[in-house]
Amino acid sequence: MNRFLIKTISFLLAFLLLNVGYSFIGLYRLHQQFLHPNKGIVILKQDDKTVSKNILVIGCSNLQHNIQFTTVQDSIKDGVDFLYFPGTENASFLQYLSDGQYFSKYKKIILYVPYHLLQKVDFLSDGVMNYKEIGNYNYTINLIKHHPLLFFYDWNKYYQSISLHRSKSTNGSFIVSTDNYLDSILNNTASTFRNCNEKFIANKQIIIIPEYTHADLHFLKNIFQPNQQIFICYTPIPNVSENVASINKSKSHIVNTFQSIHQLNEPKILDSTLFFEQWYHLNYCGQQIETQQFIKYIRAVAE
């Protein structure tokens, strides 16, 4: 019996050490080759250096497409900056940026994010776009800090997935202040974005709204600092039948779940003619409408 017990314990120890070894090797490789994100984080700051930085609006490509930044900044006396990152990420990336103090100097935070970014998660976004653009050592370590048992995940496999999709990138300048893509579609008067005549493909515009819990509320409130005011501004989605049904079913549940956070509007739909090529993205016509509505929201925040 003792022999069996010793063999069992030895096997378990060997298995544990093997897993620790793989984890350590993977984290070491991430540190050596993928210390920072490859790209994907844009901060557009108000030009007037004398304006105090009171408000930060956080979003993803929905913010990139939906809001005319300079129009908002010119309309608001309080300083307004915008930060956006790929919407293929989840709330663990929001946590990573917050822990990195990228939001710390602002008094008021507006979350203009896709619905899935309001949901608590315990793991990073494990997909091709993450491997190509975002996956990195610092992000991984931040996740492990909040969920220590994830140290035993096979990070060597994660490293290998990243290395398949991009070359070594340890440059720390992953935050940029310009958006060449955005400039190109805004300035090209012949583009389908600018002319608002992109063919609408309904199955690219269906939004899956999560079933939120109080854990999601707790997670959001604790990402930010106690002295910061947090606001949610729900981004519009197109009025295809699936989205209409989802909003009608989920609206009261969403509002009630996040009732202790300032909500600037209710979940809403807009006409499909105002949308661009995929989920959440408005075209230029929709952008003009949403920008004017957003100015009203942000004026209420600035008061």
Side-chain angles (χ1 to χ4, degrees), residues 283-299:
N283 58 29
Y284 184 71
C285 300
Q287 185 186 82
Q288 291 180 303
I289 295 170
E290 182 69 0
T291 297
Q292 292 306 311
Q293 184 62 62
F294 189 75
I295 289 172
K296 294 178 183 178
Y297 295 146
I298 208 166
R299 280 178 176 159

Side-chain angles (χ1 to χ4, degrees), residues 66-230:
N66 294 8
I67 304 299
Q68 294 176 345
F69 303 115
T70 54
T71 301
V72 174
Q73 291 170 334
D74 291 343
S75 302
I76 306 297
K77 292 181 179 180
D78 278 18
V80 182
D81 290 346
F82 296 87
L83 181 152
Y84 52 93
F85 55 87
T88 51
E89 296 304 306
N90 58 37
S92 66
F93 194 69
L94 196 62
Q95 176 85 69
Y96 165 60
L97 293 178
S98 180
D99 289 349
Q101 303 298 306
Y102 296 105
F103 313 148
S104 60
K105 65 181 180 181
Y106 298 93
K107 297 177 182 177
K108 300 174 182 180
I109 306 290
I110 299 176
L111 296 173
Y112 186 83
V113 296
Y115 282 103
H116 71 278
L117 260 295
L118 299 174
Q119 187 175 37
K120 177 181 182 293
V121 291
D122 297 330
F123 200 73
L124 44 73
S125 179
D126 193 10
V128 172
M129 293 306 295
N130 177 276
Y131 304 147
K132 286 182 176 180
E133 297 182 353
I134 299 297
N136 69 90
Y137 173 80
N138 290 330
Y139 182 12
T140 301
I141 290 298
N142 193 72
L143 183 75
I144 293 172
K145 181 182 76 174
H146 291 280
H147 309 283
L149 289 178
L150 285 177
F151 173 80
F152 299 103
Y153 180 76
D154 188 352
W155 296 112
N156 193 53
K157 179 181 177 182
Y158 180 64
Y159 158 79
Q160 290 171 345
S161 296
I162 295 176
S163 63
L164 285 174
H165 291 90
R166 71 175 194 252
S167 58
K168 180 178 178 179
S169 175
T170 56
N171 186 358
S173 58
F174 59 90
I175 294 182
V176 298
S177 58
T178 57
D179 186 337
N180 294 332
Y181 169 73
L182 180 62
D183 290 342
S184 68
I185 62 173
L186 279 173
N187 296 328
N188 182 4
T189 56
S191 69
T192 55
F193 170 82
R194 189 64 187 265
N195 288 331
C196 311
N197 60 2
E198 175 84 8
K199 182 180 179 182
F200 185 81
I201 303 175
N203 61 12
K204 289 187 176 182
Q205 303 280 355
I206 297 171
I207 308 301
I208 305 300
I209 300 177
E211 288 285 336
Y212 299 112
T213 69
H214 289 295
D216 301 319
L217 171 65
H218 181 76
F219 175 77
L220 280 184
K221 293 179 75 171
N222 282 278
I223 283 180
F224 302 99
Q225 299 174 13
N227 62 335
Q228 291 178 315
Q229 287 183 277
I230 311 304

Side-chain angles (χ1 to χ4, degrees), residues 252-265:
S252 61
H253 163 70
I254 296 169
V255 172
N256 290 335
T257 300
F258 298 111
Q259 61 181 323
S260 60
I261 296 179
H262 302 286
Q263 298 174 71
L264 299 177
N265 60 348

